[in-house]
Amino acid sequence: MEGIGNIDLPLKLFKRGKVRDVFEKDNQLLIVSTDRISAYDYVLPSLIPDKGKVLNQLAAFWFKYTKNLIPNHIVCDEPEQLEEFKSFAPIIEKRAILTRKLETYPIEAIVRGYLAGSGWKTYQKSNEICGIKLPAGLAFADQFPEPLFTPTTKAEDGHDENLTFEQMVNIVGKTDAEKIRDLSITLYKKAREYAYEKGVIIADTKFEFGKDENGNIILIDEIFTPDSSRFWKVDEYVHWHSRGKEPPAFDKQFVRNYLSQSSWDKNSPPPQLPNDIIAKTREKYLEIYEILTGSQL
Ligand SMILES: Nc1ncnc2c1ncn2[C@@H]1O[C@H](COP(=O)(O)OP(=O)(O)OP(=O)(O)O)[C@@H](O)[C@H]1O
Ligand SMILES: [Mg+2]
């Protein structure tokens, strides 16, 4: 079984991200999820077969699940069925969505339910995250009584800076900042509750928003995928949190373990993954999809 790396289509290229290749046509975007995988900010030379299908279909599932809370950018979640893209089906089947191309807000709307990642780093320095004061004495991976909205800039070079809410207001305006904050928290709470029932914790997550020609705020990009969220299994959380440690990332635990015991210095082109690590990681992605959607890919 082979994965799909670079996507080449006879369309205008909008952007190649670390994992997704985005094409542009008539004010719409064709967002194609590849089988590339990144770790420690590097794209690895190995592919994880079917990973792109999992990411794409999981996001499509969540967009449907949340569509009554907020309109989203999806025009068609099976673009391979459309006449204009039919001939691309062997490449894009199950791994692409067609979306409206919107003007984007230059911020990442991050919601945190638990103290981890970069939030833990700033908490240790100053007992706050994005200007939100927190009580002293919180432990790593503790759950917050209420989710925190902790926006960042969306930098082209990938070094996003934390923003206080006031700073975000200066960038997007008060009305939109408040709407984006409230929508983000509502979306997070709804998905978190659903996932928890299935045994998965969404520790934190990131949204992007766009604005349409009538000034409506629209949910864009991808939502509640392992690339945009931190997922833990509830039972692993209970085990590791009680020992003061971070539960393993649901998706990349085998990859991270392999890379950290390898001789790679995390500062040069990363190594190939062995076949068994690829196979186990593929299983993890399929497992996430099945647990969260209740269906097979
Ligand atoms: N509906 C939309 N309209 C306009 N831009 C969008 C829309 N949906 C997503 N985008 C943008 O398309 C790009 C998708 O690229 P992608 O997420 O793969 O790369 P990236 O975020 O730059 O890098 P990374 O690989 O680190 O995620 C993002 O810049 C995102 O903001
Ligand atoms: Mg992105």
Side-chain angles (χ1 to χ4, degrees):
M1 188 183 315
E2 279 192 24
I4 294 200
N6 252 25
I7 309 282
D8 285 310
L9 297 175
L11 296 173
K12 183 174 171 203
L13 187 66
F14 176 73
K15 157 156 215 178
R16 283 194 205 277
K18 282 200 279 293
V19 170
R20 293 172 301 162
D21 288 347
V22 185
F23 300 88
E24 197 176 345
K25 195 183 181 208
D26 310 333
N27 248 358
Q28 296 184 330
L29 296 178
L30 186 70
I31 304 183
V32 189
S33 299
T34 72
D35 292 330
R36 299 192 290 263
I37 184 167
S38 68
Y40 304 106
D41 275 335
Y42 281 89
V43 177
L44 305 184
S46 303
L47 301 170
I48 308 296
D50 293 329
K51 171 176 177 283
K53 294 184 183 173
V54 166
L55 292 187
N56 180 59
Q57 308 234 82
L58 187 57
F61 165 84
W62 288 115
F63 277 122
K64 267 194 210 102
Y65 188 74
T66 56
K67 73 173 192 297
N68 294 332
L69 291 178
I70 174 175
N72 63 61
H73 65 166
I74 294 194
V75 174
C76 176
D77 61 10
E78 285 178 306
E80 64 273 20
Q81 308 275 356
L82 301 175
E83 202 48 52
E84 55 184 325
F85 299 127
K86 258 197 179 131
S87 61
F88 308 156
I91 299 171
I92 68 166
E93 193 160 35
K94 294 193 170 163
R95 54 174 79 243
I97 49 167
L98 184 67
T99 74
R100 300 163 75 183
K101 183 180 173 211
L102 299 163
E103 187 192 323
T104 59
Y105 290 93
I107 58 123
E108 307 219 334
I110 295 166
V111 182
R112 299 174 184 277
Y114 294 76
L115 183 53
S118 69
W120 170 243
K121 285 194 192 133
T122 59
Y123 174 72
Q124 282 175 296
K125 264 187 230 148
S126 53
N127 275 10
E128 54 84 46
I129 310 175
C130 292
I132 304 170
K133 277 275 161 225
L134 295 167
L138 293 181
F140 186 65
D142 274 359
Q143 184 177 0
F144 300 121
E146 276 299 314
L148 307 182
F149 180 67
T150 60
T152 68
T153 57
K154 184 167 163 53
E156 273 309 310
D157 64 4
H159 295 292
D160 300 334
E161 305 275 347
N162 282 352
L163 294 170
T164 64
F165 188 69
E166 283 316 307
Q167 288 170 321
M168 175 173 164
V169 165
N170 290 335
I171 298 171
V172 306
K174 187 157 190 277
T175 312
D176 289 1
E178 285 173 349
K179 278 191 198 155
I180 286 172
R181 175 194 61 196
D182 296 349
L183 280 167
S184 298
I185 292 197
T186 304
L187 284 164
Y188 171 72
K189 281 185 168 170
K190 182 169 166 104
R192 169 168 84 171
E193 199 172 307
Y194 171 92
Y196 198 87
E197 302 262 297
K198 309 269 180 187
V200 176
I201 290 173
I202 304 177
D204 48 48
T205 199
K206 180 216 68 171
F207 306 106
E208 293 182 33
F209 294 90
K211 195 180 208 164
D212 74 8
E213 47 301 341
N214 302 316
N216 299 310
I217 296 177
I218 314 284
L219 187 56
I220 66 166
D221 205 54
E222 60 183 336
I223 56 167
F224 303 121
T225 62
D227 280 6
S228 65
S229 316
R230 192 183 311 270
F231 287 162
W232 297 324
K233 272 193 169 170
V234 173
D235 51 358
E236 290 177 341
Y237 175 79
V238 171
H239 177 88
W240 290 105
H241 180 240
S242 62
R243 288 162 178 75
K245 295 243 166 67
E246 172 150 24
F250 195 148
D251 57 329
K252 287 183 191 162
Q253 44 187 287
F254 293 113
V255 172
R256 295 234 179 92
N257 290 346
Y258 173 76
L259 291 174
S260 43
Q261 59 77 54
S262 77
S263 58
W264 182 46
D265 62 3
K266 296 179 186 156
N267 206 4
S268 57
Q272 293 274 356
L273 299 173
N275 285 337
D276 67 310
I277 301 292
I278 292 177
K280 284 185 190 158
T281 301
R282 177 174 174 274
E283 288 302 318
K284 277 281 158 197
Y285 277 93
L286 291 171
E287 186 188 346
I288 296 174
Y289 182 82
E290 284 164 20
I291 291 177
L292 287 175
T293 67
S295 57
Q296 303 264 349
L297 188 73

